[in-house]
Amino acid sequence: MTLPVGILLDLAGTFVFGISGAMLAVRRGLDVFGIAALAVAAALAGGMIRDMLLGAEPVAAFAQPLYLWAALAAAGLVFFAHRALERLANPVMLLDALGLGLFAVAGCRKALQFGLDPLPAILLGVLTAVGGGAVRDLLVTEVPRVLREEVYALAALVGAAIVVIGDRLSLPEIWVLPVGVLSAFLLRVLSVRRGWQAPKAPGSGSPD
């Protein structure tokens, strides 16, 4: 059975974000249930928020069992292989960046399919991308990455905007979707490696 492109993007994002959530749980010393809970929260929260706002009932995470299985598979992988994954350079950040790109593109694409205009579609793509990570971080009492100084939501916005531009120009999805994912991923990773920050209001943060 061949799965639609939208579901494939969602499943890929679900698995990757699930790994990032589970890795964070391992770093915090949580048990197997904590690892599974953080993986599921990171993997499914963004897509569930998107579907509820779109009025898609039931939400994809409940309608398609593969989403939950993908999140649990990510948790299982991390439970048994977290030492190997830790050998990657900053694995949580890299996986988070990849999930960010996948969900930004998938969320924006689904919003366009539901008939939303370009700007709301981009915003929904960003919300899909940052929602799971925000819930994951809050569960371990961290300030969500989207609220930190590093470029995060901006990277998701770029990925979603590329989907909208491709849609407006009727470009083939086989090119547009990977470019959107890769652009968001690279912008996120480069922003961390080079210390880039999102613009601030002039004079903000200065002492009174």
Side-chain angles (χ1 to χ4, degrees):
M1 179 180 68
T2 302
L3 294 174
V5 172
I7 292 181
L8 289 174
L9 284 171
D10 263 349
L11 285 173
T14 297
F15 185 71
V16 170
F17 258 137
I19 293 177
S20 77
M23 288 292 293
L24 185 57
V26 169
R27 288 183 174 183
R28 290 302 186 92
L30 303 185
D31 63 16
V32 62
F33 297 104
I35 293 170
L38 222 58
V40 169
L44 301 182
M48 291 174 70
I49 294 170
R50 172 201 65 201
D51 290 349
M52 286 188 290
L53 290 175
L54 287 173
E57 297 180 352
V59 296
F62 294 157
Q64 175 54 267
L66 285 176
Y67 289 106
L68 183 57
W69 282 115
L72 293 176
L77 174 65
V78 171
F79 185 81
F80 291 107
H82 62 91
R83 291 184 181 88
L85 292 170
E86 283 287 3
R87 297 192 184 101
L88 298 172
N90 203 345
V92 173
M93 186 276 291
L94 291 174
L95 292 165
D96 187 70
L98 181 56
L100 188 79
L102 287 165
F103 271 162
V105 166
C108 183
R109 181 181 182 274
K110 188 165 186 176
L112 290 173
Q113 289 179 331
F114 269 71
L116 268 65
D117 289 334
L119 183 56
I122 291 173
L123 293 177
L124 201 56
V126 172
L127 184 59
T128 305
V130 306
V135 172
R136 172 200 63 203
D137 294 344
L138 288 171
L139 286 174
V140 291
T141 65
E142 283 189 7
V143 177
R145 294 175 189 270
V146 67
L147 300 180
R148 300 179 193 175
E149 292 184 353
E150 299 168 350
V151 173
Y152 193 77
L154 182 60
L157 188 149
V158 168
I162 288 172
V163 174
V164 165
I165 292 170
D167 181 70
R168 296 292 102 177
L169 298 177
S170 299
L171 299 176
E173 281 193 337
I174 194 172
W175 298 108
V176 173
L177 301 183
V179 169
V181 173
L182 185 61
S183 298
F185 173 78
L186 290 177
L187 180 55
R188 168 64 182 153
V189 171
L190 287 173
S191 72
V192 174
R193 297 281 169 83
R194 301 191 178 185
W196 293 344
Q197 297 181 0
K200 297 181 180 180
S204 65
S206 58
D208 294 333

